[in-house]
Amino acid sequence: MNSSNKNLQELSIFGGQPLFQEKLYVGRPNIGDRTRLLERINDMLDRRWFSNSGPFVQELEQCIADLLGVKHCIAMCNGTVALEIAIRAAELKGEVIVPSFTFVATAHALQWQEITPVFCDIDPQTHTINPWRVEAMITPRTTGIIGVHLWGQPCNVEALEEIAQKHNLKLMFDASHAFSCSYKGNMIGNFGDAEIFSFHATKFFNTFEGGAVVTNNDELANKIRLMKNFGFSGYDNVTYIGINGKMNEVSAAMGLTSLESIEEFTKINYSNYKHYQAEISDIPGITLFPFNESESCNYQYIVLEINEEETRISRNQLIKILHAENVIARRYFYPGCHRMEPYRSYFPHAGLLLPETEKLAERVLILPTGTAIEELDIIKICQILKFAITHSEEIQNRLSLNVLKTVLVNS
Ligand SMILES: *Cc1c(COP(=O)(O)O)cnc(C)c1O
């Protein structure tokens, strides 16, 4: 499709052929060397050691600790359980300050253990928790802050550390998006009391399902190790209340294999990011979230901000148009945790203190990237966007006409 000579009716939303025959998804899993993975799984079957800190889990923990330059890595069954265990081991209680603009698991990991997530607004530049707003949310019940390195963009770590220290609060980071990213030249994983990764299938580095807590605190690491294995410290000896948070060996085999390819995954993501940047730079009203290229970054999210006043077509309409063309764009993390249950009922007025969160939740559009996408796909995706914006008025008219027709037919 060429945006200049395409007719409106060629858009799939108006009955044309979709631009892509197969759906393009956000978060299509990256796969490393298949043969190596299958070899490892074979070894595992020969060994008959499937879980309980098997050799692959031990090796993966060591490799991750080395990669990040952090003392302890404790692999887990998923990122959410890793968060829950880290929160419990750090003895957070009462209230913990978190951004609302995050995946709901950040808030759930607290509420699940009856700790109140207190939602703090974000900095519209970085999309991460605004340290200058954090202080205003502190009460006598506050015990900690959990920042989220959203999209792999690190929080303002230094400012948060200062506030945590000043008010004697624990500081942790949900680093689910920030595996192999850096902050001021130091790898994410080294900040706060602990940082938590998700290795879910949709993340840049995946172990099918999985996660990890990393920390430089020996005592905390030891506690977390016990907690993720029912509190067992040797045969028959339970020293702690625990849960089952263990990573299995197939996941660790996937992790070790993916780890061998992360440079390649990063290279592809970066190249996609640059292609998107080139294509999007001349679309009025659309900006691409800029990553700091002087830091390590995994470039796993292509984050657009849609300024409706300029595009004259809404973010939600653009998503409908893209979906019809088989580009399954997403609106992460709409509508914000504070507008989801149970938080919406608990804190019906939370939005009043979250103006930037509410604004951003209406503007963000995530596009597919990763090893399943190629340059030509990116050019085509951006052509749809350009076309939609160039013809926004006609599209709006036609869409409202369609709505009107449905109303008339149904009445
Ligand atoms: C994916 C994700 C999680 C949850 O991780 P799982 O491994 O899916 O449990 C938590 N927080 C954020 C910000 C995430 O993106």
Side-chain angles (χ1 to χ4, degrees):
M1 165 173 90
N2 185 315
S3 57
S4 52
N5 60 20
K6 189 177 164 76
N7 292 318
L8 215 55
Q9 55 270 27
E10 287 176 55
L11 277 179
S12 188
I13 198 165
F14 299 131
Q17 282 293 320
L19 195 50
F20 295 95
Q21 287 197 316
E22 292 192 13
K23 289 186 162 64
L24 301 184
Y25 293 98
V26 172
R28 204 95 197 272
N30 291 325
I31 302 167
D33 184 336
R34 228 174 252 253
T35 316
R36 272 304 280 143
L37 173 64
L38 295 174
E39 274 170 14
R40 284 191 165 108
I41 293 174
N42 253 327
D43 290 349
M44 179 205 76
L45 292 173
D46 290 342
R47 258 197 307 269
R48 294 186 188 242
W49 191 348
F50 297 166
S51 189
N52 293 17
S53 223
F56 285 154
V57 164
Q58 292 177 38
E59 190 185 344
L60 181 66
E61 291 182 337
Q62 191 58 54
C63 287
I64 290 174
D66 291 346
L67 179 75
L68 307 181
V70 66
K71 257 170 110 177
H72 305 280
C73 169
I74 303 118
M76 303 244 188
C77 55
N78 62 55
T80 306
V81 167
L83 261 171
E84 287 175 1
I85 293 177
I87 286 165
R88 191 157 189 137
E91 293 177 12
L92 295 184
K93 42 185 155 325
E95 293 174 2
V96 171
I97 298 167
V98 289
S100 171
F101 197 67
T102 176
F103 183 57
V104 73
T106 319
H108 279 354
L110 292 161
Q111 191 65 52
W112 188 256
Q113 30 203 343
E114 297 184 355
I115 300 164
T116 303
V118 173
F119 296 119
C120 179
D121 212 2
I122 47 167
D123 173 344
Q125 293 298 309
T126 64
H127 298 188
T128 60
I129 194 164
N130 184 343
W132 324 118
R133 300 285 315 138
V134 166
E135 255 184 322
M137 315 301 285
I138 297 175
T139 76
R141 296 186 69 226
T142 309
T143 58
I145 304 165
I146 302 182
V148 181
H149 304 308
L150 208 79
W151 324 129
Q153 159 72 43
C155 296
N156 186 338
V157 173
E158 278 171 345
L160 291 171
E161 276 173 347
E162 211 170 286
I163 291 164
Q165 209 157 33
K166 181 171 155 200
H167 296 271
N168 196 23
L169 302 174
K170 293 268 164 47
L171 175 63
M172 299 207 290
F173 294 99
D174 178 341
S176 292
H177 299 177
F179 189 71
S180 101
C181 298
S182 70
Y183 172 78
K184 300 203 170 170
N186 294 311
M187 294 309 276
I188 293 293
N190 287 282
F191 300 104
D193 294 287
E195 301 205 62
I196 294 91
F197 294 111
S198 165
F199 306 145
H200 183 256
T202 53
K203 305 304 204 272
F204 159 72
F205 165 79
N206 88 83
T207 62
F208 303 124
E209 287 268 7
V213 181
V214 295
T215 175
N216 287 310
N217 179 328
D218 300 339
E219 200 187 327
L220 190 63
N222 193 35
K223 214 160 148 186
I224 290 170
R225 268 195 194 289
L226 291 171
M227 279 185 164
K228 72 117 184 13
N229 187 29
F230 313 100
F232 274 109
S233 123
Y235 287 123
D236 310 327
N237 184 26
V238 171
T239 55
Y240 232 94
I241 177 170
I243 192 169
N244 184 355
K246 300 187 302 296
M247 179 181 275
N248 68 65
E249 285 288 279
V250 190
S251 287
M254 180 67 169
L256 285 168
T257 311
S258 306
L259 215 48
E260 287 160 357
S261 294
I262 60 167
E263 273 176 43
E264 187 199 322
F265 298 160
T266 305
K267 217 191 265 172
I268 291 168
N269 284 348
Y270 177 68
S271 147
N272 288 347
Y273 169 77
K274 295 308 275 185
H275 289 313
Y276 271 118
Q277 194 176 52
E279 294 297 319
I280 283 163
S281 62
D282 61 353
I283 309 184
I286 300 191
T287 49
L288 175 66
F289 182 84
F291 291 104
N292 178 352
E293 296 192 25
S294 68
E295 298 281 0
S296 300
C297 180
N298 57 39
Y299 299 94
Q300 71 176 313
Y301 294 104
I302 297 295
V303 183
L304 305 189
E305 272 185 62
I306 312 296
N307 179 355
E308 247 184 86
E309 271 153 39
E310 275 186 73
T311 57
R312 307 200 164 271
I313 183 160
S314 74
R315 184 269 312 263
N316 293 348
Q317 281 172 332
L318 286 175
I319 287 199
K320 275 190 198 140
I321 291 167
L322 289 167
H323 279 206
E325 305 291 346
N326 278 337
V327 179
I328 313 303
R330 301 289 305 273
R331 34 179 206 184
Y332 290 166
F333 289 97
Y334 181 83
C337 295
H338 70 289
R339 286 178 176 270
M340 295 176 182
E341 292 297 354
Y343 315 107
R344 189 170 62 174
S345 300
Y346 291 169
F347 323 112
H349 306 300
L352 293 174
L353 288 174
L354 302 167
E356 298 297 345
T357 301
E358 300 233 302
K359 204 164 124 193
L360 192 64
E362 295 296 332
R363 288 163 66 105
V364 159
L365 186 157
I366 312 292
L367 290 175
T369 182
T371 51
I373 301 289
E374 294 174 8
E375 182 182 356
L376 188 60
D377 301 327
I378 293 169
I379 292 173
K380 283 157 76 179
I381 291 169
C382 293
Q383 276 174 350
I384 304 171
L385 289 172
K386 284 177 201 170
F387 182 84
I389 287 165
T390 322
H391 299 83
S392 57
E393 206 174 326
E394 298 139 83
I395 292 175
Q396 302 271 21
N397 290 342
R398 190 130 171 193
L399 282 174
S400 34
L401 199 68
N402 283 358
V403 171
L404 194 66
K405 274 187 201 151
T406 335
V407 172
L408 289 176
V409 166
N410 291 337
S411 64

